[in-house]
Amino acid sequence: MIFLNKKRKLILAIESSCDETSVAVIENGDTILSNVVASQVKSHQRFGGVVPEVASRHHVEEITLCIEDALAEADVKPDDLGAVGVTYGPGLVGALLIGISAAKAFAWAHDLPLIPVNHMAGHIYAAHFVEPLQFPLMALLVSGGHTELVYMRETGSFEIIGETRDDAAGEAYDKVGRVLGLTYPSGKEIDELAHLGEDTCHFPRAMMKEDNYDFSFSGLKSSFINTVHNAEQRNEELIVKDLAASFQASVIDVLADKTIRACKEYPVKQLVMAGGVAANIGLRDRLSKEVTEELQGVTFIVPPLRLCGDNAAMIGAAAFVEAEKAHFADYHLNADPSLSFTTI
Ligand code: KG4
Ligand code: ZN
């Protein structure tokens, strides 16, 4: 086991798959000693979405500073570390390559093993900082790029039982936010507005009655856009908080319904919700209530808000599991922008 020659089981973790450069130092896979996150979101806001080339340039500027800060904040020296974990997919290829190159250079310079980590596995393992994960478990992964129900029979094993056929939930939030003239990313603002309004539009709940665990959000998005355009053409006043509440009600109904159904069909000890959209207060409240009422003996775990978005601490937690399984990479490790769970 790689950590045997060290007093403490410390991993340096690096995340750069999208628009956050992040470096963390994690002890025993469950304790965060530091978790430095340099967000680029302000640079991308004027474009209404992440511009890959801009993201890569920011990662280059930030990565070494983040490594230095993470080590200093954790009060750890490179020689104390047992391994370097890094996100190698899914994500933007240029952005991933910056983190991977930095991780390889650091690992080579300090003679440390390199651990490749799937970003989506990282999102699930963020919950491990709240409570030790117990298996089997169901994970609802909801982010800007993914919407998936993942069944884990044991640690490090992932089976996608349902996923979106088109837009991810976070992507839908950001697209309708743009139509309303909100700042990117608009999930948080729509969530806040939704709590002030009523579901007056009754948008469709796609695929809710179908006998599978897949999702679809593009019809909801089109319906939303049509409603806004029709009102504009008729010079009718739009009540933004009601539009937000109607949109959010549809998203939550579908996500909650399918997730609870999946937890009834599959034997599970825990339900984990993870990814940027897991910050959604409406979705957290709804699932928490339904798990208590309908799923006896199942614990619902959602990471705290700061661990829902992209961060390296979650990559460190997932890297620890990979290290225990002796899943290491050599210096040929490459970025895999469309990495899925089936390939790890
Ligand atoms: O996981 P994440 O930080 O990045 C990706 O890997 O995609 O997720 C970002 C997404 C964005 O689409 C953002 O609008 C959404 O998470 N988001 C929310 C909320 N906070 C962030 N969506 C709904 N409600 C929120 N409170
Ligand atoms: Zn993410």
Side-chain angles (χ1 to χ4, degrees):
M1 169 69 174
I2 55 160
F3 298 111
L4 279 183
N5 55 348
K6 303 282 175 185
K7 276 199 222 115
R8 300 163 73 191
K9 295 180 177 181
L10 298 175
I11 290 181
L12 180 83
I14 298 180
E15 155 64 36
S16 70
S17 64
C18 192
D19 59 348
E20 259 98 29
T21 319
S22 181
V23 181
V25 178
I26 303 302
E27 184 157 16
N28 293 326
D30 60 9
T31 305
I32 302 174
L33 301 190
S34 63
N35 187 23
V36 176
V37 183
S39 175
Q40 323 169 348
V41 73
K42 289 213 157 42
S43 295
H44 300 286
Q45 268 169 352
R46 67 198 145 115
F47 303 110
V50 178
V51 182
E53 180 60 25
V54 174
S56 304
R57 284 167 194 267
H58 279 296
H59 287 308
V60 171
E61 284 168 12
E62 295 287 346
I63 192 76
T64 31
L65 292 171
C66 287
I67 293 175
E68 282 170 15
D69 286 357
L71 289 171
E73 210 178 289
D75 197 16
V76 158
K77 299 202 174 34
D79 282 351
D80 303 329
L81 295 165
V84 180
V86 64
T87 305
Y88 75 112
L92 303 168
V93 67
L96 288 163
L97 281 170
I98 312 299
I100 294 172
S101 305
K104 282 182 190 172
F106 192 96
W108 185 80
H110 300 288
D111 198 17
L112 293 167
L114 191 61
I115 308 170
V117 178
N118 179 318
H119 178 82
M120 302 313 291
H123 272 303
I124 298 176
Y125 277 92
H128 191 62
F129 294 116
V130 181
E131 202 174 312
L133 295 187
Q134 283 182 32
F135 303 92
L137 69 75
M138 189 65 71
L140 172 64
L141 277 175
V142 269
S143 74
H146 292 81
T147 303
E148 290 164 358
L149 272 169
V150 179
Y151 187 58
M152 294 181 68
R153 286 174 209 279
E154 56 183 13
T155 191
S157 125
F158 308 89
E159 188 185 329
I160 298 176
I161 63 157
E163 62 192 326
T164 183
R165 303 253 178 109
D166 38 59
D167 291 355
E171 191 181 352
Y173 268 95
D174 296 336
K175 284 180 177 165
V176 305
R178 193 194 287 215
V179 175
L180 294 178
L182 306 180
T183 309
Y184 170 87
S186 33
K188 185 169 185 280
E189 199 174 346
I190 294 178
D191 187 15
E192 286 162 2
L193 285 166
H195 284 84
L196 307 172
E198 302 280 330
D199 177 6
T200 51
C201 306
H202 306 296
F203 290 127
R205 271 80 170 143
M207 303 182 68
M208 198 146 111
K209 298 278 169 268
E210 285 184 29
D211 191 20
N212 59 40
Y213 297 110
D214 286 344
F215 305 97
S216 165
F217 295 105
S218 78
L220 167 62
K221 180 188 65 190
S222 305
S223 200
F224 184 98
I225 293 171
N226 285 342
T227 304
V228 172
H229 285 173
N230 289 343
E232 281 170 353
Q233 276 167 357
R234 289 194 211 113
N235 260 335
E236 285 169 10
E237 196 202 343
L238 280 168
I239 302 174
V240 172
K241 60 182 184 183
D242 288 347
L243 278 167
S246 305
F247 171 80
Q248 175 142 313
S250 169
V251 174
I252 293 180
D253 269 355
V254 178
L255 289 174
D257 184 84
K258 293 226 167 178
T259 303
I260 297 292
R261 212 165 356 121
C263 291
K264 285 180 179 164
E265 185 183 324
Y266 289 75
V268 291
K269 292 186 181 154
Q270 295 176 332
L271 168 63
V272 168
M273 178 163 70
V277 183
N280 189 278
I281 305 295
L283 186 56
R284 291 163 91 101
D285 289 351
R286 169 77 167 268
L287 278 175
S288 165
K289 181 169 173 285
E290 292 193 2
V291 169
T292 311
E293 286 172 1
E294 296 183 42
L295 301 174
Q296 282 191 352
V298 176
T299 315
F300 179 46
I301 315 177
V302 197
L305 293 188
R306 72 197 158 83
L307 296 178
C308 283
D310 291 347
N311 67 89
M314 68 186 197
I315 302 304
F320 189 84
V321 175
E322 296 299 306
E324 288 191 313
K325 296 195 167 200
H327 286 169
F328 301 113
D330 62 20
Y331 294 116
H332 293 102
L333 178 66
N334 203 352
D336 188 345
S338 47
L339 178 69
S340 169
F341 278 126
T342 49
T343 55
I344 68 167

